Amino acid sequence: MTSHPRDAPQFYLTAPSPCPYLEGREERKVFTHIVGRRAREINEVLTQGGFRRSQTIAYRPACESCRACISVRVLADEFVPSGNMRRVTRLNRDLVGTTIPNQPTSEQYGLFRRYLAARHHEGGMVDMTVLDYAMMVEDSHVETRIVEYRRRGPDTAIHGRGQGPLVALCLTDELSDGLSMVYSFFDPELAARSLGSYLILDHIARARAKGLPFLYLGYWVEGSRKMDYKARYRPQQRLLSTGWARME
């Protein structure tokens, strides 16, 4: 009888479902659980192999007739922002990002609900309760942190933290070779700040400051307008059938 150690990942395949990125197509995912004493090690290997993490699940597309979803990671040390990206950084120079433990708060959930209502009111996350949100944030067996963004205040220079209402948040995994942006959201009333772009730019800077070579952005989906933005952050590497390939 064949046995498997409890820490060895077992992989499963989902049933087909409508693709959220390309109209008229179906998606399937291969997934496994990231738990146990080897969770961090397994998560690193899988992330480097194109998987994404959601709570204690690691998954990647396994569609039968489509290969449009491509894992992307930015080369943090070589990244040079465009003129528009520098403008976004200037627009948000009054914000401070503070790294805290991955513990949910009612303020976070309130901002999360406003973000979903404005940006993703027809998405699969719109029905998430406060308990669902807490699980998304807390349920991790790897090195996960929250970066909260608030405006600079009179005491920021002393304690290094922003003050006032929460403006944006990113749930971030810390890997040995980079940072992985698991999920982020922001105040939808501050659209002029381009906060989605700013969070990526700030995380590239954070990876560089930590001496980490990569920022993992998840999947770029060719043909999907809402995923086009990931192609702007170059140089980057994309995971092809032959391995990670550099794109200038």
Side-chain angles (χ1 to χ4, degrees), residues 5-206:
R6 292 181 62 187
D7 290 332
Q10 305 295 302
F11 291 89
Y12 308 91
L13 188 64
T14 65
S17 61
C19 176
Y21 303 115
L22 299 176
E23 188 175 355
R25 299 194 191 182
E26 290 188 330
E27 70 165 0
R28 300 188 78 177
K29 294 187 177 79
V30 60
F31 69 94
T32 189
H33 298 276
I34 316 173
V35 295
R37 61 184 177 83
R38 296 183 60 222
R40 181 171 181 175
E41 173 191 348
I42 292 169
N43 184 55
E44 297 228 357
V45 171
L46 292 179
T47 300
Q48 293 162 4
F51 280 71
R52 294 289 285 167
R53 185 186 71 81
S54 177
Q55 296 177 222
T56 58
I57 298 292
Y59 67 90
R60 68 168 297 171
C63 307
E64 295 177 2
S65 58
C66 180
R67 297 292 182 270
C69 294
I70 298 174
S71 293
V72 170
R73 62 187 188 188
V74 182
L75 295 164
D77 222 26
E78 300 180 52
F79 174 74
V80 178
S82 66
N84 184 63
M85 290 173 183
R86 289 193 292 271
R87 181 188 67 83
V88 169
T89 299
R90 289 195 299 270
L91 277 174
N92 293 286
R93 61 181 178 269
D94 62 330
L95 299 184
V96 176
T98 303
T99 302
I100 63 173
N102 55 318
Q103 297 173 353
T105 67
S106 58
E107 183 184 27
Q108 293 170 11
Y109 182 67
L111 180 60
F112 175 68
R113 294 303 316 172
R114 296 200 304 275
Y115 171 79
L116 290 180
R119 295 296 187 101
H120 302 286
H121 60 277
E122 295 180 350
M125 302 178 79
V126 72
D127 294 325
M128 286 179 65
T129 66
V130 65
L131 180 59
D132 294 328
Y133 174 77
M135 290 293 288
M136 181 179 78
V137 170
E138 289 182 321
D139 199 8
S140 170
H141 289 234
V142 302
E143 292 296 318
T144 303
R145 299 289 183 268
I146 286 173
V147 185
E148 287 190 342
Y149 295 84
R150 303 176 192 272
R151 288 182 173 86
R152 293 183 184 275
D155 298 329
T156 296
I158 300 172
H159 52 57
R161 298 189 300 272
Q163 296 177 256
L166 183 64
V167 172
L169 179 150
C170 187
L171 187 65
T172 305
D173 283 350
E174 298 184 0
L175 311 173
S176 63
D177 68 346
L179 301 178
S180 177
M181 298 178 71
V182 176
Y183 192 75
S184 60
F185 54 91
F186 48 84
D187 189 338
E189 295 184 4
L190 301 177
R193 284 180 173 264
S194 299
L195 286 169
S197 296
Y198 174 69
L199 295 185
I200 294 175
L201 294 170
D202 183 65
H203 273 68
I204 293 172
R206 287 171 180 269

Side-chain angles (χ1 to χ4, degrees), residues 22 25 66-70 220-225 227-228:
L22 299 176
R25 299 194 191 182
C66 180
R67 297 292 182 270
C69 294
I70 298 174
W220 169 68
V221 184
E222 188 171 12
S224 172
R225 289 183 60 188
M227 288 295 180
D228 277 349

